DNA sequence: CGATCTGTTGAAGTGAGTCAATAGTGGTGG
DNA sequence: CCACCACTATTGACTCACTTCAACAGATCG
């Protein structure tokens, strides 16, 4: 995944529309389709750009389109009646929205910055699943991965301290956004402190305090509020596991 | 699901072994297979009885068999290095173990009481997935459901109070174990207070205190420590959602 | 350059945790 | 049949990690 895709720098116009040249072709669920079938996919899909904060869907909306993230990042959230919010996850380029087969959206999906989606009507999605059974195999694999990630997050939410949660989160974000495997480990944080808090089951002040603690311990440096250098990933890993 | 299956009363010998007469045929993933294919399934699968506390697999074990729960209940848990435990979920009759396609088990699966599993070697499972693509469709559907449940649990772990967590849990257990839709709502709790606590991100003392609170509020009665009558399910629902 | 949003830090409060004592419950064998 | 033991659940008193409330500091932008 490129920094360009993450931060939604304009995609080259030359590859626009063509599924064969799609920037997330390798990561997307559409990778399951043989090249000859891409024409079908291409005919069924449309692009849409979301501005910062704009919602692709809201909790309770009927699911009439599924989507693949081409660039940018979305936050997936749920609300309790009194307004408490929980962020279930973040959708990065290559991630698929609509995996859960619900008829009503279980989550609100909002763009953190500018983002681009590749959309397909749900009806057409179901038709393609029917016509190309290899899609279900791909969707299953993806759902299984999401399930593993969800359970990892449950462990964090249920049994980890604030420091452990934030350390875990930084390593997770570093894995999902890193483009330079060598050199100092870097994490790009496209979300606010409130978003992180709602993802980790903490308050924004607590997240901020933990950042300061980790900074004080020499484990990280905040280049900007949304970019972190991880100096000692192994030690941070120990923090994350409570060692 | 019958009380017999939940509590693992002996299954009738007459239907033993035959997939066509399997007690969880309607719930299991094998429902995707047409009756003529059941012979293949039957040849590949074996039964195994677990005694109370016995493990089907431990975290880190290689996944060399997948399993379908025929009777009894299993707890699926993970450990942090210092011994803190989190229970990710409970597997009831009809549930499938091995959905996540990992090569190493991410969880320990232990029987709460006596339990019976229908086992299949992983290799054979992969062969069947290849030979019968409709299985992947079924597995995908199941994984999608599990994902929805996992995200619901994340909301609970991340943003709900102790009372809300326990109320949510009681309603969930009532749904999964109830056999009498009419009359007073009943929940069977085959796990200990410690198990509930490790599932909800609480301590066993807190779970116990919340039970007393709900009892005091007239919402529930504890018939035994592991059987609850829910007198006012709608009010309990409000408690669960923090209303 | 002021307005607004986001992030940081401090001081005080609280929900759940910890430690500890007691009370049920179920199984075993004398 | 009941006395005993081991295990599980309940309840109380005290503590603490995280929250809440509040003030302030940076960043971003029209």
């Amino acid at each position: 995944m490129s920094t360009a895709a993450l931060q939604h720098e304009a995609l080259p116009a030359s590859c626009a529309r063509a599924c064969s040249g799609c920037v997330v072709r390798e990561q997307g669920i559409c990778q399951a389709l043989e090249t000859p079938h891409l024409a079908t996919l291409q005919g069924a899909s449309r692009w849409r750009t979301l501005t910062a904060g704009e919602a692709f869907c809201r909790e309770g909306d009927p699911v009439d389109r599924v989507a693949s993230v081409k660039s940018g990042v979305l936050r997936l959230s749920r609300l309790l009646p009194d307004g408490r919010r929980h962020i279930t996850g973040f959708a990065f380029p290559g991630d698929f929205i609509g995996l859960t087969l619900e008829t009503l959206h279980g989550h609100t999906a909002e763009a953190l910055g500018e983002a681009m989606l590749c959309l397909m009507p749900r009806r057409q999605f179901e038709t393609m699943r029917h016509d190309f059974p290899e899609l279900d195999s791909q969707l299953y694999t993806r759902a299984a991965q999401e399930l593993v990630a969800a359970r990892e997050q449950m462990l964090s939410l249920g049994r980890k301290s604030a420091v452990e949660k934030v350390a875990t989160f930084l390593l997770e974000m570093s894995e999902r956004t890193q483009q330079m495997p060598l050199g100092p480990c870097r994490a790009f944080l496209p979300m606010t402190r409130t978003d992180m808090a709602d993802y980790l089951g903490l308050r924004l002040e607590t997240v901020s305090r933990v950042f300061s603690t980790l900074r004080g311990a020499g484990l990280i440096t905040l280049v900007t509020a949304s970019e972190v250098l991880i100096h000692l990933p192994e030690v941070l890993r120990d923090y994350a596991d409570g060692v």
Side-chain angles (χ1 to χ4, degrees), chain A:
Chain A
M1 185 194 311
S2 69
T3 316
L6 268 176
Q7 302 181 342
H8 187 85
E9 293 170 14
L11 299 167
S14 60
C15 76
R17 304 283 150 195
C19 285
S20 59
C22 179
V23 284
V24 294
R25 171 121 177 79
E26 295 309 311
Q27 292 88 47
I29 57 125
C30 22
Q31 76 175 264
L33 294 177
E34 301 294 330
T35 309
H37 297 142
L38 285 181
T40 314
L41 185 64
Q42 201 165 316
S45 61
R46 294 284 175 271
W47 289 12
R48 179 174 167 199
T49 302
L50 297 176
T51 58
E54 199 181 351
F56 161 66
C57 64
R58 300 204 169 275
E59 204 179 333
D61 283 355
V63 179
D64 39 40
R65 317 184 287 296
V66 298
S68 186
V69 181
K70 287 181 79 69
S71 69
V73 184
L74 281 78
R75 75 168 164 244
L76 311 173
S77 61
R78 289 193 54 180
L79 290 177
L80 284 170
D82 66 356
R84 276 173 288 173
R85 187 181 69 156
H86 183 73
I87 293 181
T88 304
F90 300 96
F92 284 81
D95 285 350
F96 186 76
I97 300 176
L99 203 59
T100 46
L101 299 175
E102 294 159 304
T103 52
L104 298 180
H105 280 289
H107 293 82
T108 296
E110 292 154 310
L112 290 178
E114 195 146 287
M116 183 172 291
L117 301 180
C118 179
L119 304 179
M120 182 186 289
R122 189 200 163 120
R123 188 156 245 159
Q124 205 125 17
F125 171 63
E126 296 300 346
T127 305
M128 289 202 72
R129 281 183 62 200
H130 179 264
D131 294 346
F132 306 109
E134 62 267 36
L135 263 184
D136 268 14
S137 189
Q138 178 68 21
L139 287 162
Y140 170 40
T141 305
R142 186 61 73 96
Q145 289 165 351
E146 290 277 325
L147 199 50
V148 170
R151 288 173 174 172
E152 186 72 38
Q153 182 66 0
M154 281 193 213
L155 174 66
S156 193
L157 289 167
R159 281 289 171 247
K160 291 190 179 180
S161 70
V163 172
E164 290 161 2
K165 283 176 178 180
V166 172
T168 305
F169 174 72
L170 285 176
L171 290 168
E172 184 192 342
M173 283 302 125
S174 138
E175 266 180 44
R176 294 189 78 177
T177 67
Q178 99 185 131
Q179 42 274 347
M180 32 182 75
L182 301 172
C185 203
R186 193 184 225 96
F188 176 55
L189 308 173
M191 68 293 287
T192 65
R193 297 286 184 268
T194 305
D195 289 337
M196 297 178 209
D198 285 349
Y199 180 59
L200 298 171
L202 299 170
R203 304 269 95 194
L204 70 100
E205 295 95 330
T206 305
V207 172
S208 186
R209 275 184 247 273
V210 173
F211 270 96
S212 299
T213 305
L214 295 176
R215 195 154 38 78
L219 292 179
I220 63 169
T221 305
L222 288 169
V223 183
T224 68
S226 60
E227 194 174 353
V228 177
L229 290 181
I230 302 173
H231 300 300
L232 304 165
E234 331 75 47
V235 182
L236 196 63
R237 177 83 269 158
D238 288 344
Y239 271 63
D241 294 335
V243 181

